[in-house]
Amino acid sequence: MRRITLTQYLLEQQRDAGIIAADLRLLIEVVARACKAISVAVSKGALGGVLGAAGTDNVQGEAQKKLDVLSNEILIEANEWGGHLAAMASEEMEGPHAIPHRYPRGEYLLLFDPLDGSSNIDVNVSIGTIFSVLRAPEGAGAVDERAFLQRGRDQVAAGFALYGPTTILVLTVGNGTVGFTLDRELGSFVMTAPDIRIPPDTAEFAINMSNMRNWGAPVRRYIDECLAGKDGPRGKDFNMRWVASMVADCYRILSRGGVFMYPRDAKHKEGRLRLFSADGNATPAPICRDWVSPGRNLDYVQTS
Ligand code: FBP
């Protein structure tokens, strides 16, 4: 079987398919390289001295882990000097990070959650990095938060890395969705899923059941129907999975179908996961945490 590396795939998307420009290819390669560095740090665990709390809070007021802070630094350092970006925004930073004047300024914006699934970091459960690439507004002025509030469909690339038993990179540049597995010996991402499509049928759902008492009636009814199994209105037995790392739950759905939900409820009135997006009437908003899916006001990812 022909081994296609991430570099080859991106070159083909640039040269043969004409889907991406050279600077976007290089930018994605830098992001992937940063994900490899994060993967190495994650895999060292306690031996690397990277577990535990950092002693600081992020913009959401949540306690940061050492690995949250380290992953954020890795992504910033890897990306700020390459000349492909005008600015970056991260869940772990108060506002946009401008590219220092000593480096050339590029055409793109990079948005990321450096390490999703913080509650799982210290217990050796899968966690991941989520990223999105947008076009920077034209002009040489400073980039503010409004520049990042674009429609999901205007993203030029997006993906995530999942640090589990293997390190996986899932990517789209607008021409389907592909998955790569990190070959640790060679240090390169090798394509292992050339055309990811969510299976249309499912027998699994994912939701944090401990929030049940706070759910709204439609969510409660849907889950009740799943729990009723073969004898219920859906006529089928369902299984429940909940990793509590959105990246891992979403990867399972990309692979096996199903639904992942974090619906707004009486306690999480704005939902727990936030989508960084805007429609044509974009207004400034605080930097949000998780890139979920192109669209608006979505706080869940769902298939049939
Ligand atoms: P972080 O961005 O702080 O990592 O939180 C996001 C997240 O970990 C999701 O990945 C996950 O689905 C959710 O929170 C789990 O939250 P909870 O354990 O409160 O249900």
Side-chain angles (χ1 to χ4, degrees):
M1 195 180 97
R2 186 179 157 225
R3 271 169 74 99
I4 302 174
T5 62
L6 175 67
T7 303
Q8 275 171 290
Y9 171 76
L10 290 172
L11 259 175
E12 282 170 12
Q13 295 301 305
Q14 179 197 330
R15 234 171 23 200
D16 307 341
I19 302 281
I20 56 172
D23 53 352
L24 179 57
R25 168 173 66 82
L26 294 168
L27 164 55
I28 295 170
E29 294 217 44
V30 176
V31 172
R33 212 174 304 138
C35 291
K36 282 184 223 170
I38 297 171
S39 168
V40 170
V42 166
S43 67
K44 289 202 166 115
L47 299 180
V50 292
L51 300 186
T56 46
D57 287 350
N58 70 11
V59 65
Q60 309 294 330
E62 297 165 337
Q64 291 175 305
K65 303 277 186 175
K66 284 186 197 162
L67 266 175
D68 283 324
V69 176
L70 182 65
S71 306
N72 196 56
E73 283 167 9
I74 289 173
L75 277 156
I76 301 265
E77 278 169 26
N79 283 287
E80 69 178 0
W81 55 270
H84 313 302
L85 289 175
M88 295 178 246
S90 159
E91 178 190 355
E92 304 302 336
M93 297 187 300
E94 190 74 36
H97 176 89
I99 300 301
H101 291 306
R102 61 184 181 280
Y103 301 126
R105 178 181 152 134
E107 290 178 21
Y108 298 102
L109 302 174
L110 179 64
L111 190 60
F112 51 85
D113 177 352
L115 212 53
D116 170 66
S118 302
S119 65
N120 285 327
I121 290 178
D122 295 338
V123 291
N124 205 24
V125 172
S126 300
I127 45 185
T129 299
I130 308 168
F131 64 90
S132 164
V133 184
L134 304 162
R135 269 182 217 294
E138 284 177 12
V143 176
D144 64 16
E145 286 180 9
R146 277 169 301 198
F148 289 86
L149 289 166
Q150 300 188 24
R151 294 175 305 179
R153 72 174 73 102
D154 292 335
Q155 294 172 104
V156 292
F160 61 85
L162 177 61
Y163 314 115
T166 56
T167 289
I168 304 271
L169 180 75
V170 173
L171 175 72
T172 180
V173 292
N175 186 19
T177 303
V178 284
F180 301 84
T181 302
L182 181 61
D183 181 329
R184 289 187 196 277
E185 278 76 42
L186 298 181
S188 54
F189 278 109
V190 179
M191 188 186 285
T192 43
D195 183 20
I196 298 180
R197 285 167 195 270
I198 301 174
D201 212 4
T202 181
E204 289 180 345
F205 64 94
I207 191 164
N208 185 341
M209 294 290 278
S210 71
N211 293 323
M212 187 191 276
R213 68 188 179 289
N214 297 317
W215 293 342
V219 175
R220 188 179 277 263
R221 197 189 81 200
Y222 173 69
I223 298 301
D224 281 347
E225 288 180 8
C226 293
L227 295 176
K230 266 208 188 81
D231 302 330
R234 293 185 177 262
K236 162 169 166 181
D237 288 338
F238 285 82
N239 200 354
M240 200 197 86
R241 287 282 181 275
W242 179 253
V243 183
S245 285
M246 190 190 75
V247 270
D249 281 309
C250 288
Y251 185 65
R252 188 189 58 254
I253 286 161
L254 289 176
S255 315
R256 286 208 309 233
V259 59
F260 165 82
M261 290 179 284
Y262 218 122
R264 65 174 65 90
D265 60 32
K267 182 173 158 208
H268 308 93
K269 293 211 167 57
E270 300 297 323
R272 166 88 166 80
L273 306 177
R274 274 143 284 181
L275 174 67
F276 200 96
S277 177
D279 63 11
N281 306 315
T283 48
I287 295 290
C288 303
R289 303 163 2 116
D290 298 304
W291 178 84
V292 181
S293 162
R296 212 181 149 224
N297 294 337
L298 266 180
D299 51 12
Y300 59 91
V301 176
Q302 184 167 19
T303 66
S304 64

